[in-house]
Amino acid sequence: MQQVLLALGKRMRELRAKQRFSQEAFADHCGLHRVAVGLIENGKRVPSLRTLLTISTGFGVTLSDLLRGVDKGIPAKKRHSWNDQRRRRIS
């Protein structure tokens, strides 16, 4: 999980740098607290879906664009589709 949080933080920093926002300016732009944005970017806070939507809207991107590449932090053996999990429960 920590690898995914770090990858999300890296993605946020990339988007923020591209749009030339400081952490404080971006947090203000989105209506989030600066400390919360810092904790998310440093992988120390798990954002809610609502917060992720707020962040993606602040960047002017879709949620899927915000999360693009973040799942690369999950080892392949741990990635399971919903159907795989469902099949295991049924069997």
Side-chain angles (χ1 to χ4, degrees):
M1 176 75 138
Q2 186 64 30
Q3 294 159 328
V4 173
L5 294 174
L6 291 172
L8 172 62
K10 181 180 177 186
R11 177 76 174 134
M12 284 179 60
R13 282 189 299 279
E14 289 169 356
L15 291 169
R16 196 168 49 73
K18 185 177 179 181
Q19 295 185 17
R20 298 178 185 235
F21 275 116
S22 66
Q23 261 188 6
E24 187 173 5
F26 180 70
D28 188 50
H29 173 72
C30 292
L32 298 171
H33 195 282
R34 178 192 54 80
V35 173
V37 171
L39 289 172
I40 294 168
E41 284 191 3
N42 290 313
K44 296 183 180 190
R45 183 172 181 180
V46 179
S48 68
L49 180 57
R50 180 176 293 192
T51 300
L52 289 172
L53 287 168
T54 299
I55 291 168
S56 67
T57 301
F59 284 129
V61 299
T62 64
L63 183 56
S64 60
D65 283 340
L66 174 65
L67 298 176
R68 180 167 287 127
V70 170
D71 65 337
K72 291 179 182 170
I74 305 172
K77 66 181 179 181
K78 291 190 177 183
R79 280 189 216 156
H80 301 290
S81 72
W82 182 83
N83 285 331
D84 290 341
Q85 293 171 3
R86 187 170 168 231
R87 276 189 217 112
R88 280 192 210 103
R89 280 188 245 135
I90 293 171
S91 300

